[in-house]
């Protein structure tokens, strides 16, 4: 998939360049808002990319992926509230807790398939949502304010708009690189093989569920990283981050951009969040347009935006 | 003791209401293999229609009947305009499209009825407490919900098990291609089933409306419960949905009512008051997770395809 010049790759390359140069544009025009918006977009793109790893390549439709956003976020928020401000502690903890949670959820959920899998992942995310709502010491329903962003011993200043943006972008690119490496590794090929024909992979001697589980845990961990970024971005974390419609948003980003394509979720996140933002400036009833747009995309643009680009470059 | 009876009835009432919602969902899912996230929106629309029509007509019963008809119509239009093009598609496509519909309906309601919730007042004859067993009184309206829902459940059972349409529905659930091959107008059948599902969701919404505030997004929480029910019961199984709905309704209600006291007996006060609300909200999901881990296809799996 690399090296070939086609519409999808050209778009991906342009996109990366534009994302990297964005702070220059923002500084030149004095448009700070666009930088804030794209910081948010980069974070959600990372979360959507992590969902794409299991959904697009592994065939596991997790409808509870926002749970890891919340878990990563709460790890940072709770540690900050307890006076541990160092990112060198906060972030590894956020990753470890997300990984652990993903391991538990994955081990139980992977006993089911199809719609049952969708529902059981949703159930676990709802449990996490209610646990967070009950943490009265840490804000409960109202959420937890993160008064101080993660401190990286002066190496990066997360309160600096540009530095934080580049940190988010670096995490996004790092995550995408990792996913690309995984998908093209032997391990990733087995996972994709299990998606298309589980019995055959079993027959060849692969323990299908073990591969699936490892993939699920990696995905949850990457999403936990996005959660840690999100808590730093909004200086706030609340149970609402984990509510099922949030998981729905992530799913929409993946399908909108193009499931099973590396840059699909990034494009999906950009289009979805930009659309939401633009529409909300014209009308307070953005759903009236956004909803039917989603419907039309499903009806007329199968394979999402990347699929559309792929057809354009072939046809 | 009276408290237990009362909460048991509340649980029964909630469970039956959930059944109305879950029945439509499981029919549409089982027969058309269609995942409809917008089912909760139809529930919400039922409640809004009821609040509007009852205010217009001044009659609770008339308004409710009109709301029922309106939701039925809305369901049919929705199926005809958009959703019928999504049958046979990937479940994910359906999830995305109907997620879009949720966004649409929420903002449409906000545009038409405004952001503040509505209240649907009950007529005086439905607010009196009824003595069900000596010394135990129960609100008449909640009793009515129980009776209506039981009647609808019985009717649904008869229609599905004893009529020709029901036979086609059951045939469709186990083999969709076959009924098409038999020369049945499958498109019409699907439209009818979808309309029926919408009407059931609307009925649940309009009956719930006087108990809760009618508000935007009211369908989202309860939709997930309905999904939990059809998954626990086994997708496509009406009987499974019925049992699971009662199960979920009663456990949820009883959990909320009695779990805090129970926990206080074993835990310290502070720990209990933190854990109780979380645990009682989680109970249903915990239950579903356990059931799915033990029986990955639900409790009453429908006939294999």
């Amino acid at each position: 998939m690399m090296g070939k010049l086609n519409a999808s790759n050209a778009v991906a390359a342009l996109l990366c360049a534009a994302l990297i140069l964005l702070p220059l544009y923002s500084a030149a025009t004095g448009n700070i808002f666009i930088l804030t918006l794209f910081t948010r977009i980069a974070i959600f793109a990372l979360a959507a990319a992590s969902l794409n790893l299991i959904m697009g390549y592994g065939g596991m439709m997790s409808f509870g992926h926002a749970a890891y956003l919340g878990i990563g976020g709460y790890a940072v928020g709770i540690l900050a509230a307890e006076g541990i401000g160092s990112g060198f502690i906060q972030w590894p903890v956020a990753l470890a807790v997300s990984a652990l949670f993903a391991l538990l959820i994955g081990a139980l959920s992977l006993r089911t398939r199809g719609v049952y899998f969708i529902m059981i992942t949703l159930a676990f995310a709802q449990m996490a949502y209610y646990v967070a709502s009950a943490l009265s010491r840490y804000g409960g329903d109202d959420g937890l304010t993160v008064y101080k962003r993660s401190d990286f011993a002066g190496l990066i200043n997360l309160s600096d708009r540009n530095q934080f943006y580049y940190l988010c972008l670096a995490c996004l690119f790092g995550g995408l690189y990792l996913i690309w490496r995984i998908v093209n590794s032997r391990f990733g090929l087995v996972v994709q093989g299990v998606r298309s024909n589980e019995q055959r992979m079993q027959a060849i001697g692969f323990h299908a569920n073990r591969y699936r589980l490892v993939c699920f845990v990696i995905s949850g961990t990457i999403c936990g990283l996005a959660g840690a970024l999100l808590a730093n971005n909004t200086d706030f974390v609340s149970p609402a981050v984990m509510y099922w419609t949030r998981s729905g948003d992530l799913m929409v980003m993946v399908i909108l951009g193009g499931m099973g394509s590396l840059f699909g979720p990034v494009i999906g996140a950009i289009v979805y969040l930009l659309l939401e933002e633009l529409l909300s400036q014209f009308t307070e009833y953005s759903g009236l347009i956004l909803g039917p747009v989603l419907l039309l995309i499903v009806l007329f643009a199968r394979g999402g935006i990347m699929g559309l680009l792929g057809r354009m470059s072939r046809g | 003791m009276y408290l237990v009876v009362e909460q048991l009835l509340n649980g029964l009432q909630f469970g039956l209401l959930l059944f109305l919602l879950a029945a439509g969902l499981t029919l549409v899912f089982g027969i058309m293999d269609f995942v409809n996230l917008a089912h909760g929106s139809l529930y919400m629309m039922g409640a809004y229609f009821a609040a509007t029509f009852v205010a217009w007509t001044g009659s609770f019963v008339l308004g409710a009947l009109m709301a029922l008809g309106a939701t039925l119509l809305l369901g049919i239009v929705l199926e005809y305009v958009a959703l019928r093009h999504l049958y046979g598609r990937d479940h994910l496509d359906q999830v995305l499209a109907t997620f879009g519909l949720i966004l649409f309906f929420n903002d449409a309601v906000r545009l038409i009825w405004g952001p503040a919730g509505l209240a649907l007042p009950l007529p005086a004859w439905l607010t009196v407490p009824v003595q069900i067993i000596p010394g135990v009184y129960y609100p008449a309206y909640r009793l009515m919900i129980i009776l209506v829902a039981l009647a609808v459940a019985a009717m649904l059972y008869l229609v599905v098990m004893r009529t020709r349409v029901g036979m086609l529905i059951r045939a469709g659930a186990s083999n969709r291609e076959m009924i098409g091959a038999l020369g049945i107008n499958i498109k019409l059948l699907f439209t009818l089933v979808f309309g029926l599902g919408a009407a059931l969701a609307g009925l649940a919404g309009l009956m719930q409306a006087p108990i809760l505030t009618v508000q935007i997004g009211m369908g989202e929480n309860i939709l997930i419960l309905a999904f939990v029910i059809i998954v626990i019961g086994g997708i496509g199984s009406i009987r499974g949905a019925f049992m699971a709905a009662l199960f979920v309704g009663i456990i949820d209600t009883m959990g909320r009512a009695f779990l805090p006291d129970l926990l206080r007996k074993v835990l310290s006060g502070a720990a209990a008051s933190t854990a109780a609300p979380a645990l009682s909200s989680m109970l249903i999901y915990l239950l579903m997770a356990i059931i799915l881990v033990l029986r990955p296809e639900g409790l009453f799996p429908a006939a294999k395809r």
Side-chain angles (χ1 to χ4, degrees):
Chain A
M1 76 186 276
M2 292 295 272
K4 264 182 253 159
L5 188 66
N6 59 34
S8 328
N9 283 349
V11 166
L14 276 176
L15 192 74
C16 293
L19 285 175
I20 292 169
L21 295 177
L22 190 81
L24 296 180
Y25 170 81
S26 161
T29 57
N31 186 345
I32 292 162
F33 173 71
I34 194 164
L35 194 61
T36 333
L37 178 63
F38 270 85
T39 305
R40 200 175 129 74
I41 286 177
I43 295 170
F44 275 98
L46 179 63
S50 77
L51 177 59
N52 182 42
L53 172 63
I54 54 169
M55 203 161 91
Y57 297 106
M60 294 173 266
M61 323 295 180
S62 163
F63 207 160
H65 227 60
Y68 309 104
L69 273 183
I71 290 166
Y74 267 101
V76 168
I78 289 177
L79 285 175
E82 295 296 336
I84 302 170
S86 167
F88 293 116
I89 300 174
Q90 287 178 352
W91 290 39
V93 169
L95 294 183
V97 177
S98 306
L100 211 65
F101 200 68
L103 183 67
L104 181 75
I105 294 182
L108 294 172
S109 305
L110 281 169
R111 300 169 59 97
T112 62
R113 289 288 178 271
V115 180
Y116 293 96
F117 183 83
I118 296 183
M119 293 315 298
I120 196 169
T121 46
L122 178 95
F124 282 115
Q126 288 292 95
M127 287 187 221
Y129 168 82
Y130 287 117
V131 169
S133 307
L135 290 175
S136 45
R137 187 183 156 89
Y138 302 109
D141 267 332
D142 300 328
L144 176 64
T145 303
V146 183
Y147 288 103
K148 211 165 165 306
R149 292 189 176 182
S150 301
D151 169 31
F152 281 97
L155 292 174
I156 352 167
N157 177 8
L158 270 59
S159 303
D160 180 286
R161 221 175 269 118
N162 285 322
Q163 288 188 34
F164 185 59
Y165 174 74
Y166 277 121
L167 176 67
C168 293
L169 206 58
C171 289
L172 173 62
F173 287 158
L176 287 175
Y177 178 70
L178 182 69
I179 290 169
W180 180 69
R181 284 299 296 267
I182 290 172
V183 167
N184 290 296
S185 68
R186 178 179 171 279
F187 168 80
L189 292 176
V190 173
V191 169
Q192 292 171 72
V194 170
R195 181 195 57 185
S196 45
N197 194 334
E198 182 174 351
Q199 271 144 352
R200 185 175 296 168
M201 294 313 279
Q202 294 271 30
I204 309 174
F206 290 108
H207 198 300
N209 262 2
R210 245 176 250 165
Y211 281 84
R212 275 208 181 99
L213 183 58
V214 172
C215 195
F216 192 90
V217 171
I218 295 172
S219 166
T221 314
I222 298 176
C223 199
L225 175 64
L229 287 168
L230 191 65
N232 275 296
N233 185 43
T234 43
D235 300 315
F236 180 69
V237 53
S238 83
V241 176
M242 295 192 251
Y243 196 58
W244 74 269
T245 49
R246 269 284 158 217
S247 299
D249 286 336
L250 290 182
M251 230 175 195
V252 166
M253 289 172 199
V254 175
I255 307 171
L256 182 64
M259 202 169 66
S261 98
L262 187 64
F263 276 90
V266 182
I267 294 180
I270 294 176
V271 172
Y272 188 64
L273 293 175
L274 271 186
L275 210 58
E276 210 176 59
E277 190 57 49
L278 284 176
L279 287 174
S280 71
Q281 291 184 357
F282 288 116
T283 162
E284 51 181 313
Y285 307 106
S286 53
L288 282 181
I289 301 165
L290 194 58
V293 165
L294 291 181
L295 186 67
L296 289 175
I297 285 175
V298 174
L299 286 177
F300 298 113
R302 298 181 86 161
I305 296 167
M306 285 309 257
L308 216 56
L309 289 172
R311 279 200 293 281
M312 272 163 56
S313 63
R314 272 193 301 275
Chain B
M1 185 57 212
Y2 294 154
L3 195 61
V4 174
V5 174
E6 195 191 336
Q7 292 300 337
L8 209 56
L9 280 171
N10 280 345
L12 184 70
Q13 178 252 308
F14 186 45
L16 284 167
L17 201 84
L18 287 173
F19 167 70
L20 293 181
L21 204 61
L25 203 58
T26 208
L27 274 178
V28 170
F29 205 155
I31 296 165
M32 308 180 216
D33 200 24
F34 183 74
V35 184
N36 181 19
L37 288 189
H39 198 68
S41 297
L42 292 165
Y43 164 89
M44 173 178 75
M45 292 310 287
Y48 270 95
F49 283 145
T52 310
F53 292 143
V54 169
W56 273 3
T57 58
S59 153
F60 183 79
V61 175
L62 198 61
L65 286 175
M66 283 168 71
L68 197 58
T71 341
L72 173 74
L73 201 66
L74 179 66
I76 288 176
V77 170
L78 202 60
E79 197 272 351
Y80 194 82
V81 172
L83 303 183
R84 63 166 45 189
H85 308 292
L86 294 166
Y87 299 148
R89 285 289 197 86
D90 203 296
H91 280 155
L92 273 183
D93 282 353
Q94 299 165 353
V95 165
L96 179 58
T98 51
F99 190 78
L101 286 178
I102 294 180
L103 300 179
F104 175 80
F105 275 111
N106 281 347
D107 274 353
V109 164
R110 214 145 55 86
L111 183 68
I112 299 170
W113 283 281
L118 300 179
L120 174 52
L122 277 175
W125 57 274
L126 278 175
T127 52
V128 285
V130 178
Q131 180 165 320
I132 33 172
I133 43 175
V136 178
Y137 289 87
Y138 197 69
Y141 183 65
R142 284 178 183 262
L143 211 55
M144 193 192 83
I145 294 184
I146 293 180
L147 294 178
V148 169
L150 277 178
V152 170
M155 223 151 64
L156 205 59
Y157 178 82
L158 287 178
V159 168
V160 171
M161 298 312 280
R162 293 278 182 273
T163 66
R164 186 175 150 75
V165 173
M167 189 185 69
L168 293 175
I169 289 177
R170 278 179 292 135
S174 50
N175 193 331
R176 278 185 298 157
E177 287 76 21
M178 188 58 85
I179 56 166
L182 288 174
I184 305 301
N185 186 343
I186 195 162
K187 279 193 167 167
L188 183 65
L189 181 69
F190 278 16
T191 308
L192 283 178
V193 172
F194 196 89
L196 175 67
L200 287 172
L203 179 64
L206 73 90
M207 289 206 304
Q208 187 74 310
I211 298 179
L212 301 169
T213 320
V214 180
Q215 57 187 0
I216 296 160
M218 64 186 281
E220 282 153 30
N221 233 334
I222 203 162
L223 169 76
I224 295 304
L225 277 186
F227 265 112
V228 166
I229 284 163
I230 70 172
V231 163
I232 292 180
I235 288 165
S237 159
I238 294 268
R239 187 171 66 111
F242 186 74
M243 310 289 266
L246 291 188
F247 200 44
V248 165
I250 289 172
I251 289 196
D252 189 62
T253 310
M254 301 294 264
R256 278 172 209 283
F258 300 114
L259 208 59
D261 284 338
L262 277 178
L263 277 182
R264 227 159 273 140
K265 285 191 179 128
V266 278
L267 289 173
S268 73
S273 56
T274 303
L279 201 58
S280 46
S281 307
M282 279 166 58
L283 210 55
I284 298 306
Y285 299 102
L286 211 58
L287 185 80
M288 163 159 117
I290 293 170
I291 288 177
L292 283 188
V293 165
L294 298 177
R295 298 189 57 130
E297 301 250 295
L299 290 177
F300 304 92
K304 284 265 183 297
R305 298 233 160 115

